[in-house]
């Protein structure tokens, strides 16, 4: 019987893309960039490769410290990537944008006595600050962040840690919910955990990763959790 729900944070409950855009906009304008669309396209390509390397087990911070300097180098600008990363991180720490409907979902699940757990990749200081600032912390019984665990999703050790240290969490009574196939869903598959892919944009998968369930909105998610999996 389903008792525990592990939630990813970014773009599953918190609107990471909105806060990301605001932070990137401020940084690139301060560096004298005029064509924001072009620089954001360049950054996104570089950032995607950075996170693929992190998810494959490479140390995170040295890679993160290169994404701004590598992006700006494409525009003939020399910059201190580590310092810009700190500036960006400070902006992200104050990204408290919650996806509309997330609070209502969490309220409903708590009222039905599910144990709610955060299972997210990222920098611990940033994720704790955002959970607190967005008012989400009271909903969660446990918080697990890759920087503290020492493994990133999709490494199965990320989930092994949760199963070992969480309260009454087993593979038989727990589901992973997340928006990223390559991290959240592949990680759950690697750890033999049931999973729900949150796919509000109705994206078509270009991979062989097969989620157990797909939710296009929070109503779908609630139905899957309370009816299909109970």
């Amino acid at each position: 019987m389903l008792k525990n729900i592990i939630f990813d944070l970014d773009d599953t409950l918190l609107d990471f893309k909105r806060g990301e855009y605001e932070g990137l906009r401020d940084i690139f304008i301060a560096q004298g960039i005029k064509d924001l669309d072009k620089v954001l396209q360049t950054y996104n390509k570089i950032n995607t490769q950075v996170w693929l390397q992190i998810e494959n087990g490479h140390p995170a911070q040295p890679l993160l410290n290169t994404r701004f300097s590598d992006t700006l180098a494409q525009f003939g600008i020399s910059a201190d990537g580590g310092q810009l990363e700190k500036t960006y991180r400070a902006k992200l720490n104050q990204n408290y944008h919650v996806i509309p409907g997330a609070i209502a979902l969490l309220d409903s699940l708590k009222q039905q006595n599910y144990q709610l757990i955060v299972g997210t990749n990222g920098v611990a200081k940033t994720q704790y600050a955002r959970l607190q600032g967005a008012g989400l912390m009271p909903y969660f019984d446990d918080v697990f962040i890759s920087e503290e665990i020492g493994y990133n999703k999709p490494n199965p050790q990320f989930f092994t840690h949760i199963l070992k240290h969480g309260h009454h969490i087993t593979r038989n009574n727990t589901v992973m919910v997340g928006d990223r196939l390559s991290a959240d869903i592949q990680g759950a598959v690697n750890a033999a955990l049931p999973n729900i892919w949150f796919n509000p944009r109705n994206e078509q998968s270009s991979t062989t990763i097969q989620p157990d369930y797909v939710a296009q909105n929070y109503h779908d998610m609630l139905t899957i959790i309370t009816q299909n999996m109970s």
Side-chain angles (χ1 to χ4, degrees), residues 176-211:
M176 174 70 208
V177 178
D179 71 297
R180 292 199 64 192
L181 283 171
S182 62
D184 305 310
I185 305 307
Q186 185 62 63
V189 170
N190 292 345
L193 271 176
N195 55 80
I196 301 171
W197 181 29
F198 182 49
N199 183 21
R201 296 175 182 81
N202 196 25
E203 297 175 355
Q204 300 303 306
S205 172
S206 59
T207 74
T208 59
I209 303 168
Q210 293 293 322

Side-chain angles (χ1 to χ4, degrees), residues 22 33 41 44 46 61 71 80 103 119 145 167 170 177 180 227:
E22 292 173 354
I33 295 290
Q41 288 176 4
N44 285 334
I46 290 171
Q61 199 58 55
T71 298
D80 184 337
I103 295 291
I145 301 173
H167 302 293
T170 72
V177 178
R180 292 199 64 192
Q227 297 182 24

